[in-house]
Amino acid sequence: EGNNVDILAVVQDIGEVQSLTSKKTGQELQKCDVTLIDDTGVQIRLTLWGNQAIDARNQLGGNKVVAFRRARISDYGGKSLSGGDVHVEPKIPETEALHEWWSSQGSRGGPVKSLSSTGTYGKMDGFAERKTISDIKGQNLGYINPEKGDYLSFKGTFTFIKKDKEGGAWYTACPNKDEPCRNRCKVTQTTDGNWQCDRCHGTYPECSRKWIFSATVSDDTASTWVSVFDEQAQQLLGVTADEVFAQIENQDLYDGYFGKATHTEWIFKCRVKNEMVNDEQRLKTQVVRMDPVDYAAECRDMIAALEKFQ
């Protein structure tokens, strides 16, 4: 942490500009998180500040290849980057090679590894703190903390993904990225083809689609149904719902995204909560974070655990 690095990558996604107040100076600051990816299939989050944050969407949009010089490395939220000198589309051979990779492979999705954690649920539990799927029932999870739910981490495999929802495995969301919707609230289509949001009372010519689907996850003790929402679904499938909707006529392509993701292994963090669904109490398990399995680290942790029994 605190070191600097030069990086060349495709700008995969650009977040919204956010304002915050510096604890040291009291000044208002602007920040914008961008997601970078290269031809190794690895993502990392980089935070831009000030004018770079304000201009990010105009300067870096359209999946440009960008070099960041002396970006600061941080351990906040996994591994992430901050700042650095920005060079858009540098005239070097590696830029063209990255464009070719993005056009032929990267933009078509597929499971990716993210060095930066997502969501607001903190660090993943360590190897020793992990549970198993059978602990959901065995430890009465979902009932210990009924208001907020109970959390557990485990290593498991997607064995089935329910993708055959009519119209696609997504919902139509408000395109308004500001409060109160923040691009999440559901919208309905009106008779004139526009989209109406009851939350912000706006009417829009287009909507934003967000992944939402159920899946089964298994380990060597049990299996469970889980709910997967947009952030983790993008990590799993490697593509946004809007990108897939644009190619919805190609059923084989749609099925292919889910086929690649099935039988992949992840470290899961889930929330288990007892909820009322259609006047019935049901135990719901939601994926709140997913990390790719680091098999080298898994082996080291397993050996260390076995040594304790000697």
Side-chain angles (χ1 to χ4, degrees):
E1 182 171 6
N3 295 326
N4 298 90
V5 68
D6 298 339
I7 185 172
L8 181 74
V10 177
V11 179
Q12 187 180 23
D13 185 62
I14 302 174
E16 293 303 304
V17 178
Q18 299 176 336
S19 297
L20 65 157
T21 302
S22 170
K23 293 182 180 179
K24 291 184 178 180
T25 65
Q27 290 182 319
E28 184 177 1
L29 304 173
Q30 282 73 42
K31 60 169 284 191
C32 175
D33 290 338
V34 300
T35 302
L36 309 178
I37 189 169
D38 67 7
D39 53 6
T40 64
V42 176
Q43 294 174 330
I44 193 167
R45 183 180 65 250
L46 183 142
T47 302
L48 297 170
W49 299 90
N51 289 333
Q52 286 184 344
I54 295 170
D55 297 337
R57 196 165 293 277
N58 290 331
Q59 289 192 353
L60 310 181
N63 301 122
K64 289 186 172 68
V65 173
V66 181
F68 297 88
R69 295 200 62 189
R70 295 189 58 76
R72 183 180 174 86
I73 303 172
S74 171
D75 290 330
Y76 176 76
K79 289 290 183 184
S80 59
L81 303 174
S82 180
D85 298 328
V86 179
H87 302 272
V88 180
E89 300 288 347
K91 297 185 182 304
I92 56 177
E94 290 83 353
T95 298
E96 184 60 32
L98 269 180
H99 272 303
E100 291 179 0
W101 168 80
W102 178 255
S103 298
S104 62
Q105 299 180 47
S107 61
R108 298 186 180 184
V112 297
K113 177 179 180 180
S114 177
L115 300 179
S116 307
S117 65
T118 57
T120 57
Y121 296 92
K123 291 185 177 180
M124 184 71 76
D125 293 336
F127 182 86
E129 289 76 39
R130 279 190 217 153
K131 300 181 185 294
T132 63
I133 294 176
S134 63
D135 287 327
I136 295 175
K137 184 177 181 180
Q139 297 186 8
N140 210 30
L141 300 183
Y143 299 93
I144 300 171
N145 190 352
E147 289 191 7
K148 295 184 178 180
D150 300 310
Y151 291 83
L152 81 159
S153 298
F154 59 89
K155 182 171 73 172
T157 301
F158 281 103
T159 52
F160 173 75
I161 303 174
K162 189 175 175 62
K163 61 180 173 59
D164 296 327
K165 176 184 173 184
E166 184 178 356
W170 47 66
Y171 73 94
T172 51
C174 181
N176 178 14
K177 296 182 179 180
D178 299 322
E179 295 289 354
C181 298
R182 295 183 62 189
N183 210 195
R184 293 177 299 186
C185 297
K186 190 173 182 180
V187 294
T188 54
Q189 194 166 27
T190 58
T191 55
D192 60 2
N194 288 316
W195 298 90
Q196 175 69 41
C197 178
D198 293 334
R199 183 73 181 275
C200 69
H201 306 294
T203 301
Y204 305 93
E206 300 290 341
C207 68
S208 177
R209 288 167 178 82
K210 301 290 183 182
W211 292 114
I212 179 172
F213 51 79
S214 300
T216 55
V217 174
S218 301
D219 64 10
D220 56 2
T221 69
S223 63
T224 183
W225 280 97
V226 297
S227 298
V228 183
F229 293 96
D230 191 66
E231 194 169 356
Q232 285 70 41
Q234 285 192 44
Q235 187 181 4
L236 173 65
L237 303 173
V239 67
T240 68
D242 278 333
E243 289 169 337
V244 176
F245 176 76
Q247 309 168 75
I248 193 62
E249 299 300 326
N250 189 335
Q251 185 67 39
D252 289 340
L253 186 65
Y254 177 84
D255 292 341
Y257 288 118
F258 292 91
K260 289 180 183 178
T262 306
H263 304 301
T264 56
E265 191 173 37
W266 300 80
I267 309 298
F268 294 90
K269 187 164 191 175
C270 293
R271 180 178 63 193
V272 185
K273 193 172 185 295
N274 189 31
E275 298 181 352
M276 186 70 72
V277 180
N278 296 327
D279 297 325
E280 293 183 11
Q281 291 285 344
R282 291 187 184 178
L283 202 62
K284 303 278 286 186
T285 303
Q286 177 190 340
V287 177
V288 298
R289 176 172 169 173
M290 290 168 26
D291 285 358
V293 179
D294 183 337
Y295 290 100
E298 287 286 301
C299 290
R300 291 193 296 268
D301 290 338
M302 194 172 296
I303 291 171
L306 290 171
E307 289 176 344
K308 293 180 180 180
F309 290 99
Q310 294 180 356

